[in-house]
Amino acid sequence: MAVVDVIKSCLDSIAQISEHVEGAILYIDSGCTESFQFTGAFPVLLELGVRAICSLENMSSLDSVVNWNSNSDPAWKIVVMTSRLLSDAHRYILRCLSTHKGVRQCTVFTSISELAQSAYPDSPLGPDAFHEYEILLLQDYEEIVKKIQKKASHSDVRNFQESLTFEDEGWSRLTSSEEDVSHCEAASSGKYVFGESHTEYLGEKLVVSVHHFPMILCPFSPKVFVLPSEGSVSEAYLSAKHEDSLSPGLPPISTGVPPDGDDVPPGALLTAHFLYHLAAKMDLKMEIFSFGDLSKTVGKIMTDMSSLYDVGRRKRSAGLLLIDRTLDLLTPCCHGDSLVDCMFSSLPRREKTTSYSSTKGSKTQLKLVPCSLQRAPLDVQIPLGKILQEEESNTNDSRLAERIEAFLVGWDACNSSPPETVDLVNLCNKVHDGKSFLSEIQLLNGSFVSTETFRGTPYMEAILDRRTKDGAVLVKKWLQETLRRQNITVNVKIRPGFATKLELQPMIKALAKSQSSLIRNKGIIQLGAAVLVALDELHSTRWNAFVSAEKILSATAGDTSQSLAAQISDLIHKSTMRGSDGDKKTDHLQGLLSFKDALLLTIVGYILAGENFPTSGSGGPFSWQEEHFLKEAIVDAILENASVVKLKFLDGLTEELEANLNRKKSEDTIEASPDQLESDDDEWGKWGDEEEDDGKNDKKQAYSSMQLKLELLDRVDNLFKSLHKFSTVKRRNLSLREGTFSLESNFTSDSGLNKSLIYKLLTRVFGKYDVPGLEYHSTTTKPSLADQNIVMVFVVGGINAAEVREVQEALSESGRPDVELILGGTTFLTPDDMFTLLMGDSSYI
């Protein structure tokens, strides 16, 4: 029987559309780019005959250089692949069509199904969404062609490029206005006729077709995946703002009453459709189980879809376990022992593309979701150039920069306006000033590639469930073996059982010394460089400081609430202090963690307090006195660090806080300075009026400082209301209140914190114990999830790599080697991502 493999399923799906992509210029959005990088799809696409692969959001007229090959016909076919709703991608698709003047065929693939397109809140498309969009796209394109023709008739060829730059490019055509709806209805009824002026411009009629391509996901291994960070599914809200919500990117707290009808968040709708079509592509018939209110909603939508479309189909049976992330906030907030988690937390990420919800001309304002959720891109940026750079580089950087500049100036020579390439002149000047051109722009960018292997062993799959030390040692062994096979000698002392920067960096440099070796071994070189960054003292020390602080909080949570509150307050205090190198009494955590880090630890502390002291206090787990001291500690920390504290709950107050801090520093400087000498012997001092003015200013400043502190206290009070929510999550989640787990005392050996919820659930499921709160979505007799040979666990809200390891541990302990276990999630979560969701820009705070 075939093994379940999400990577293979993705590549097979691409092969199935070979007829569409052959000979085409392929445009992919940022979500598809992430997906294809992980799956290693780019070589496959080129083998299928794709002419060029271009960015949809960053489309450029330079994309047309694919037609410079004199032996090939001009590109007349464009394929667009998007991980977004058609209404969101419309403006970019239209711009591609308007740029490639010879295009006669446009094929659009979207990862959002036709039913989901029409069911999405406030969507401009109806039940026949794909056909409606085909007509709307032709309609908007026709208007653009007419506009270009009109401008071209009044201008010469020299200014024709300027005629392509129009104000809205049809970006605001897809709205829910009555005019557009009536126009769409007329088109659907067959009343729309494509204009003859179109054929005059192109010579042939443009043909548009829209198809569903569901396999846009980011697999870390054949059995672990998340969704693209900039796709519609991962960016859609999982909860609207109400008393049970924690964040738009997390399910609401379970109350036993799942949302129904119009209250279903768009993220739940899109997730359900994605999972249904993923299962269909993998030929799996899902027995759906859910744990948590929003997961129940997702399961119900999937069940309703299965009853409509799965009649008479023969597929392999599999179990699907849906879990709300909100049922376990602690695990992704903590710094577990995982090499992959460390790498994603240490490496810089690609900058996000332009927000689809705020692009010029976009008039669609969803009632339920005022804007899309911003996820951190999965595309990491590995600074290979910096790692490989020698003290004295022999690379002729200036010649390279000057050649690029000359090419772009020549390309833009037909434009009467000055060429917009002046930045390259500055780059050349940087080179002549001694600054390396390559060190700034030549990064090895992009996600880890899941399909790259060492003798058939995929790199990512092998290190995904490894602890930090074990994973780093494994990468070191791969580097050593690669060097041996290449007959490259490195003069470095290798210690068994450890991996250090002094060992890894020389091996990476040796493998990348020649261009042929760099290209041939780019997979292990890239991975080794990523490990090097994760092990760097700057990142590893901070990570270890978090681990130490989390252990302290976990241990203290077993004592009294007063002790835990004191530890949290102490961590906040230490985060605002900087210890001296000569001070041996300086605490090992002091100076390593910022105030923002201390707030993340405060979240951890409140979650632990809610689990250990569920009856303490009326509004939270601590007494009024204990919480009062915590509030004072946070207020003092903000006042002392106003210049570096940039937090959402302080929006609108930052300038006042900085001014207050500067004023205080100025006063302290004056008090600390020696007595001022009279600058002029004739100065008689201040007259009465001036003294009165100074007195008024002092009173005004004192009043202003008092007002500022009162406003700050009000903001901090609101912050603690959110902390109270975090502490009550476990108590308010009904399934956990019913005593789902009896093994609450289980601790991991690496952090001292409880095992993850996924581990506990799978342990009980495979042990065939009853799990209260686990709902089965069918009217038939409830089967046992443990009897399934294929089990997919999907966490609505996201997963981290530490959970991947614990899932494998649960499976190994079950004694069921015959079970194929797949783990998926809405997104990949680091502790910083959790802070953003709970207290940052993507929170409801």
Side-chain angles (χ1 to χ4, degrees), residues 222-331:
K223 290 183 171 56
V224 178
F225 71 92
V226 295
L227 303 180
S229 66
E230 294 187 76
S232 289
V233 185
S234 62
E235 286 190 349
Y237 278 28
L238 292 173
S239 65
K241 189 173 183 179
H242 54 76
E243 62 179 359
D244 296 320
S245 299
L246 302 177
S247 166
L250 294 170
I253 300 173
S254 295
T255 61
V257 184
D260 190 21
D262 296 335
D263 294 330
V264 174
L269 176 75
L270 295 183
T271 299
H273 282 262
F274 163 77
L275 289 172
Y276 171 80
H277 290 286
L278 172 65
K281 277 289 183 181
M282 299 174 70
D283 289 324
L284 300 177
K285 183 183 184 301
M286 293 294 192
E287 300 289 350
I288 304 170
F289 299 80
S290 62
F291 200 62
D293 286 356
L294 194 65
S295 289
K296 290 179 182 178
T297 301
V298 173
K300 183 179 182 300
I301 296 172
M302 291 184 67
T303 303
D304 293 341
M305 293 176 68
S306 299
S307 63
L308 290 174
Y309 301 113
D310 285 349
V311 179
R313 295 187 180 183
R314 298 186 61 184
K315 300 179 180 179
R316 286 189 292 170
S317 178
L320 173 63
L321 175 57
L322 300 166
I323 305 174
D324 279 9
R325 176 76 275 170
T326 317
L327 295 173
D328 179 14
L329 294 176
L330 190 61
T331 299

Side-chain angles (χ1 to χ4, degrees), residues 53-173:
I53 304 174
C54 308
S55 168
L56 179 63
E57 296 94 343
N58 299 314
M59 189 277 309
S60 166
S61 57
L62 289 173
D63 296 342
S64 61
V65 299
V66 71
N67 294 327
W68 283 5
N69 187 347
S70 59
N71 296 325
S72 64
D73 297 327
W76 58 271
K77 185 164 68 170
I78 286 179
V79 174
V80 175
M81 300 189 76
T82 177
S83 58
R84 298 186 177 275
L85 294 160
L86 292 169
S87 53
D88 288 338
H90 178 64
R91 60 189 71 118
Y92 299 107
I93 298 172
L94 206 54
R95 188 158 60 172
C96 286
L97 291 177
S98 64
T99 300
H100 292 277
K101 298 181 290 296
V103 64
R104 299 194 300 274
Q105 180 177 326
C106 175
T107 306
V108 180
F109 289 96
T110 172
S111 66
I112 312 299
S113 68
E114 188 168 31
L115 185 58
Q117 298 271 355
S118 61
Y120 195 80
D122 207 22
S123 171
L125 300 173
D128 194 13
F130 287 175
H131 180 61
E132 290 176 17
Y133 181 72
E134 291 169 0
I135 297 172
L136 284 168
L137 181 59
L138 288 171
Q139 167 187 315
D140 282 355
Y141 182 54
E142 168 73 1
E143 292 183 7
I144 289 175
V145 169
K146 289 180 179 178
K147 184 182 295 187
I148 293 176
Q149 287 178 326
K150 185 177 180 180
K151 287 187 177 181
S153 64
H154 298 289
S155 61
D156 56 16
V157 177
R158 185 182 183 88
N159 296 324
F160 184 72
Q161 185 176 2
E162 182 181 354
S163 72
L164 293 177
T165 308
F166 31 83
E167 292 182 358
D168 60 7
E169 304 182 25
W171 290 6
S172 61
R173 288 291 303 164

Side-chain angles (χ1 to χ4, degrees), residues 661-679:
L661 180 62
N662 293 333
R663 185 167 60 247
K664 184 178 178 181
K665 287 181 178 179
S666 177
E667 292 172 355
D668 292 342
T669 302
I670 293 174
E671 291 178 2
S673 62
D675 295 336
Q676 300 293 321
L677 298 175
E678 294 291 340
S679 60

Side-chain angles (χ1 to χ4, degrees), residues 104 250 264 317-318 352 378 410 443 453 529 588 596 602 656 742 749 819:
R104 299 194 300 274
L250 294 170
V264 174
S317 178
K352 292 185 69 68
L378 295 175
L443 300 174
T453 66
H588 70 288
K596 177 183 173 183
T602 302
E656 289 82 353
S742 60
S749 59
V819 174

Side-chain angles (χ1 to χ4, degrees), residues 525-542:
I525 292 173
Q526 176 174 329
L527 183 58
V531 173
L532 202 62
V533 174
L535 295 180
D536 186 83
E537 185 178 1
L538 176 67
H539 300 113
S540 62
T541 304
R542 178 174 177 265

Side-chain angles (χ1 to χ4, degrees), residues 444-463:
L444 184 56
N445 297 333
S447 302
F448 301 109
V449 180
S450 302
T451 54
E452 290 193 345
T453 66
F454 179 81
R455 292 186 174 181
T457 301
Y459 291 126
M460 282 299 293
E461 182 179 5
I463 67 170

